[in-house]
Amino acid sequence: IVDDDQSMCELLATFLSRRGYQTLVRVSGDEAFETLKSEDCDVVLTDLNLGGMGGLELCERIVANRPDLPVIVITAFASLETAIAAIRVGAWDFVTKPFQVSELAATVERAIHHKALREEVRRLRDSPARTQTFEEIIGTSPAMKCVYDMIDRVSDTDATVLVTGESGTGKELVARALHRRGRRSAGPFVAINCAAMPETLLEAELFGHARGAFTDAKSARTGLFVQANNGSLFLDEIGELPVGMQPKLLRALQERTVRPVGGNTELPFDARIIAATNRDLEQDVASHRFREDLFYRVNVVRIDVPPLRDRGNDVLLLAQQFLERYADQMGKSVVGLSTQTAHKLLGYRWPGNVRELQNCIERAVALTRYEQISVEDLPERIRDYHGPQVAFASDDPSELLPMDEVERRYVLRVLDAVGGNKSLAAQVLGFDRKTLYRKLERSGPPPSRPPHGS
């Protein structure tokens, strides 16, 4: 805090301290600039009119020497010329007197969040990719660390694993990590999408077929179960398996043998089975769409892959990795994301998960004219996304909620949308952090999520 009015400094320091900030007070621009040579601050709040070095000059010198440090200028002159002058010398924002203390607190919070986001973007750009990955899976969020822990615990066994998660979350990468880290890593990894072919062809693909078993079967073919001997067989989208195929698959898993289509001989196989689905198989069992006995056969160990919206800053880590990949492929000198772009990426819900993010970054790298991807390079749906809205589904008075309950649900909804980041949630809600903590204490713990650790 820089102001030659000592009483104003004390007032601002007291106000900000009550909101959890540590403050340093200096009464001149020269003293403040010297202090910043040894102190690591997150934001500078300076008055425009100071004795000696003025607020604009201080701002200009800070920007020249510490471009990562946001400066907020307080001015009693709410003129367009003053605002332009402040922005021109690099001020992050300005506040006009008289100001509401809540407005000032919100501006400080946004500035600190902006600085933290800029540092995160720079850290991701400069960090070696190998320190951010597990096998080929990219991510360091708590939700993904739970996935890594499960992979490590079961990879060196032959237990059948069911990998669940929304479409585009990277379930096949989890299956490949299980294979590579297990005792069968020297054997083949054989994958098939159970939704990609009709039942008759799927049966022949899985179990093999004898010569002459059907038209065009001019020679015998070994099925994928046998091809996966001493390795792993990955049954992707097992929830889409035709009902007629389910008892045949169940028998193969139970007996560890398969009979080729048109053949008379049972062939043994020795492969680890990993299945994946984006469906709720328990619900499918209840509706008789999926056999209960087959469900229990494939659901020995379950690994839930979290959606991208529950993975916090993994969004930026993945975006940086995709950016480097496509910049190299396209021969473009794109090195990172702008801070505003990072903010947009973190705020979006990613219904298409990692696959959607990958598509977004490939498009952005192709379109950008600069070394950083800007907001204008993003798809319109992401540029214009403004987060969840409170909606009322009924006009029935018996179904309407008290205001406290509406607020409680919305606070928890925003907290979920920003991946549990309380500072960002407070910014979205317009609260200071202490107010958010107080409301969370009153509302109790957030609703439990699926057990993938997010």
Side-chain angles (χ1 to χ4, degrees):
I1 301 171
V2 190
D3 197 317
D4 54 9
D5 183 343
Q6 185 68 41
S7 60
M8 176 59 73
C9 285
E10 292 173 358
L11 178 66
L12 291 175
T14 300
F15 165 71
L16 291 171
S17 295
R18 287 174 178 171
R19 281 156 178 77
Y21 297 107
Q22 293 180 319
T23 60
L24 293 173
V25 170
R26 298 294 181 266
V27 293
S28 74
D30 294 290
E31 187 181 358
F33 190 71
E34 285 301 312
T35 299
L36 288 173
K37 292 179 181 178
S38 57
E39 295 287 347
D40 186 20
C41 297
D42 291 306
V43 62
V44 173
L45 188 61
T46 179
D47 194 48
L48 178 68
N49 292 318
L50 301 170
M53 183 193 303
L56 290 183
E57 184 182 351
L58 174 61
C59 177
E60 189 172 21
R61 292 181 66 178
I62 292 174
V63 170
N65 290 272
R66 293 277 303 277
D68 61 318
L69 182 58
V71 180
I72 300 171
V73 175
I74 300 176
T75 173
F77 307 101
S79 69
L80 180 62
E81 292 77 10
T82 304
I84 291 174
I87 299 303
R88 184 174 291 159
V89 298
W92 187 81
D93 204 348
F94 66 95
V95 178
T96 57
K97 296 178 182 178
F99 52 80
Q100 296 289 328
V101 289
S102 58
E103 173 194 358
L104 179 65
T107 304
V108 169
E109 182 70 29
R110 286 196 302 271
I112 291 175
H113 174 66
H114 175 85
K115 180 176 183 289
L117 195 55
R118 176 185 288 179
E119 290 174 349
E120 177 70 3
V121 169
R122 185 173 60 248
R123 184 187 68 81
L124 294 175
R125 186 184 64 217
D126 297 338
S127 295
R130 62 180 179 276
T131 65
Q132 314 290 327
T133 60
F134 178 95
E135 296 292 333
E136 293 181 358
I137 309 171
I138 298 170
T140 59
S141 63
M144 290 307 296
K145 287 179 180 177
C146 290
V147 173
Y148 303 156
D149 178 63
M150 284 296 293
I151 292 172
D152 275 335
R153 291 167 67 182
V154 302
S155 59
D156 209 28
T157 73
D158 280 338
T160 301
V161 177
L162 178 63
V163 185
T164 64
E166 296 176 8
S167 180
T169 50
K171 296 185 290 295
E172 183 167 345
L173 291 179
V174 171
R176 290 184 180 275
L178 281 166
H179 173 73
R180 281 193 298 269
R181 298 177 80 85
R183 62 168 68 113
R184 296 174 176 269
S185 58
F189 178 86
V190 179
I192 184 171
N193 188 319
C194 297
M197 55 185 67
E199 182 175 340
T200 53
L201 292 180
L202 180 61
E203 181 178 1
E205 191 73 13
L206 286 173
F207 304 146
H209 60 77
R211 180 181 179 184
F214 49 83
T215 305
D216 294 332
K218 297 178 180 178
S219 61
R221 180 175 179 182
T222 303
L224 298 185
F225 273 96
V226 176
Q227 290 181 34
N229 268 336
N230 301 313
S232 303
L233 177 62
F234 177 51
L235 303 173
D236 197 11
E237 302 298 352
I238 196 172
E240 306 298 332
L241 196 70
V243 174
M245 270 294 298
Q246 293 180 23
K248 299 174 184 178
L249 177 60
L250 175 63
R251 184 179 183 281
L253 297 180
Q254 287 176 332
E255 303 299 327
R256 308 299 290 181
T257 62
V258 293
R259 177 178 292 179
V261 176
N264 299 314
T265 305
E266 295 281 344
L267 302 177
F269 69 89
D270 178 23
R272 186 196 194 151
I273 306 301
I274 306 170
T277 183
N278 60 5
R279 299 179 62 91
D280 183 345
L281 289 188
E282 287 157 313
Q283 181 61 43
D284 285 347
V285 167
S287 61
H288 305 291
R289 190 187 177 282
F290 198 85
R291 290 179 64 107
E292 184 176 22
D293 45 8
L294 179 58
F295 170 70
Y296 289 119
R297 177 61 63 178
V298 298
N299 189 36
V300 177
V301 175
R302 178 167 172 166
I303 298 179
D304 296 299
V305 185
L308 186 55
R309 62 182 170 273
D310 287 347
R311 293 177 54 181
N313 279 2
D314 280 357
V315 173
L316 301 184
L317 179 59
L318 285 157
Q320 183 65 34
Q321 298 295 315
F322 292 142
L323 182 154
E324 292 171 5
R325 178 191 305 175
Y326 291 117
D328 183 63
Q329 289 179 7
M330 299 177 193
K332 300 187 72 170
S333 57
V334 185
V335 297
L337 311 166
S338 73
T339 307
Q340 292 77 13
T341 300
H343 183 77
K344 285 289 184 182
L345 296 181
L346 285 174
Y348 185 60
R349 293 289 290 168
W350 300 109
N353 291 295
V354 179
R355 190 177 294 127
E356 183 183 8
L357 175 62
Q358 182 174 357
N359 175 274
C360 164
I361 298 300
E362 182 179 8
R363 174 189 186 274
V365 171
L367 291 178
T368 191
R369 298 186 179 94
Y370 309 106
E371 289 190 342
Q372 286 190 329
I373 291 177
S374 66
V375 172
E376 290 70 28
D377 300 320
L378 300 177
E380 184 177 357
R381 68 183 182 279
I382 299 173
R383 292 199 309 266
D384 298 341
Y385 184 77
H386 295 298
Q389 303 293 323
V390 174
F392 298 95
S394 173
D395 293 325
D396 185 346
S398 66
E399 295 181 20
L400 298 178
L401 301 172
M403 183 57 69
D404 285 350
E405 178 63 10
V406 173
E407 181 185 74
R408 185 189 77 84
R409 294 187 182 187
Y410 186 65
V411 167
L412 294 176
R413 181 72 180 84
V414 169
L415 191 63
D416 178 74
V418 299
N421 185 321
K422 292 185 177 63
S423 293
L424 185 54
Q427 177 184 331
V428 172
L429 292 163
F431 300 154
D432 59 73
R433 286 176 293 185
K434 286 189 176 180
T435 300
L436 176 60
Y437 294 149
R438 199 161 53 245
K439 290 181 180 294
L440 289 173
E441 287 174 2
R442 285 205 304 265
S443 69
S448 61
R449 294 183 179 177
H452 50 55
S454 56

